[in-house]
Amino acid sequence: MGCALIGCGKALPALEVQNDELKALVDTNNEWIVTRTGIESRHIALEETNLDLAERAAREALGWDEGGWAARRVEPEEIDLVIFCTITADHLVPSAASELRMRLDLPNAIAFDLNAACTGFVYGVTVAESLMAASAAGVPGAAGRNKVRRALIVGSERLSRITDWAERSTCVLFGDGAGAGVLEWNEGRAGVLGTHLVNEDDPTGALLCPLEFDMPVPFAASGVDAGADAEAVLRERAGNPKQAITMNGQAVFKFAARAMSDAVTAVLDNAGLTLDDVACIVPHQANERIVRFAAKKLDCSMEKFHLCIAHAGNTSAASVPMGLADAYEAGRIKPGDKVVLVGFGGGFTSGALVYEA
Ligand code: COA
């Protein structure tokens, strides 16, 4: 028995921006971007909100719309849990998960957001799997407790909202998109075989998007400060570049390549498996070169990795579930295959899981 993946889907915004088009914004060129990252184009949400993208990916994963892969159609009342993995929710409150629950009309689901940066989906599936295993095990005297049998896990981002479009070392890397997976506790299936989550320090702030909640407030000890110019404060904040992603690319690169190979090794050890048992690895797609470095460290052929970074760029929490849906659409994953999902990102977070398809 175990937590099985029974559907996955993906969504990209309509607008696709080629590398050379970015020359209008910064001093860059297609050759530099392709050779350093493997990225040829990315999609940018103009009309689409983060929620719109998530909804499209979720509908495919639930078997409601064409695309992605779904073992069967899952009815709205069957979903007990929604975890929305993102760093770019449309609002702080309500949570993106609550909004998605309402948009999809999932009457029985509890819902919350999860921020583990680009490792979000791996964290999300691990949390869902733990809740399902606890529900299945049962807790004496816990009648009435939430039982989680099926979960919708979404990774969805509108990174274009937090990208500094005047900074060439970061703006060429990121894109918008969404991916989703549906999980079901199944007495007859192995499903998730092992998980491994890590958090380590990022002492130099190599990957930051501060969004500091330190805006001066128009209040004094005596109450409202009538002399404060609240509108000027808001105007100043609207153009605050500190709200954009900043990154020490080389430090992140080194962390990423090591964390990725470590996580794959650890999760396979936990599950008593080796790389030879694995049919496909779907990694977080930040940079094709990071995957090549990790593959070399693992002594693993690049053929085993499923990549779709070329036309999506780095979409943070959306990247792993989008790659997963892409792998199913490409026919790379067959029933019984062992599949590894691995992520790394801001925090620093990293992690991997292995499941039987
Ligand atoms: N176009 C053209 N030139 C660029 C450029 C761009 N978009 N961005 C940077 N450059 C220049 C730099 O200014 C530098 O020029 P200089 O030598 O004259 O100073 C040169 O290219 C090399 O820059 P460097 O930062 O050393 O390149 P790099 O090989 O480390 O590649 C990254 C940069 C960002 C692609 C790479 O470090 C990386 O992928 N890091 C990890 C990023 C990541 O994945 N983040 C998310 C993790 S979840």
Side-chain angles (χ1 to χ4, degrees), residues 212-338:
E212 290 158 347
F213 292 99
D214 62 351
M215 187 160 64
V217 291
F219 295 95
S222 55
V224 175
D225 180 1
D229 185 350
E231 268 190 35
V233 169
L234 282 176
R235 272 200 307 276
E236 188 187 313
R237 184 144 185 98
N240 186 351
K242 278 206 219 150
Q243 289 195 22
I245 293 177
T246 60
M247 189 172 68
N248 176 340
Q250 290 182 359
V252 175
F253 193 106
K254 277 187 204 140
F255 151 74
R258 171 184 54 75
M260 192 172 147
S261 53
D262 285 355
V264 172
T265 305
V267 83
L268 291 178
D269 280 353
N270 290 352
L273 298 169
T274 70
L275 270 170
D276 290 339
D277 299 313
V278 174
C280 183
I281 303 176
V282 182
H284 169 48
Q285 326 226 345
N287 181 332
E288 190 179 317
R289 270 168 63 223
I290 293 175
V291 181
R292 289 191 183 281
F293 266 74
K296 209 167 155 203
K297 272 186 127 193
L298 288 163
D299 194 19
C300 176
S301 154
M302 275 298 284
E303 310 266 289
K304 219 163 240 193
F305 290 84
H306 184 76
L307 295 180
C308 56
I309 188 175
H311 300 290
N314 180 351
T315 55
S316 193
S319 166
V320 169
M322 221 155 65
L324 185 62
D326 202 70
Y328 273 93
E329 280 178 2
R332 281 202 61 172
I333 299 175
K334 309 262 181 322
D337 279 354
K338 304 222 174 27

Side-chain angles (χ1 to χ4, degrees), residues 56 76-77 105 119 138 145 177 198 211 218 243 248 301 329 334:
R56 277 173 45 203
E77 56 276 6
D105 198 10
T119 324
R145 203 177 266 241
V198 178
L211 203 73
Q243 289 195 22
N248 176 340
S301 154
E329 280 178 2
K334 309 262 181 322

Side-chain angles (χ1 to χ4, degrees), residues 131-188:
L131 286 171
M132 285 182 187
S135 298
V139 179
R145 203 177 266 241
N146 293 98
K147 295 267 187 291
V148 179
R149 174 95 202 274
R150 274 171 225 92
L152 169 66
I153 317 298
V154 174
S156 183
E157 303 283 12
R158 233 164 44 125
L159 296 181
S160 56
R161 275 197 320 168
I162 56 168
T163 297
D164 181 347
W165 291 102
E167 175 52 60
R168 69 177 182 173
S169 64
T170 51
C171 77
V172 301
L173 304 174
F174 299 112
D176 300 334
V182 175
L183 306 171
E184 178 176 64
W185 187 263
N186 192 309
E187 298 297 331

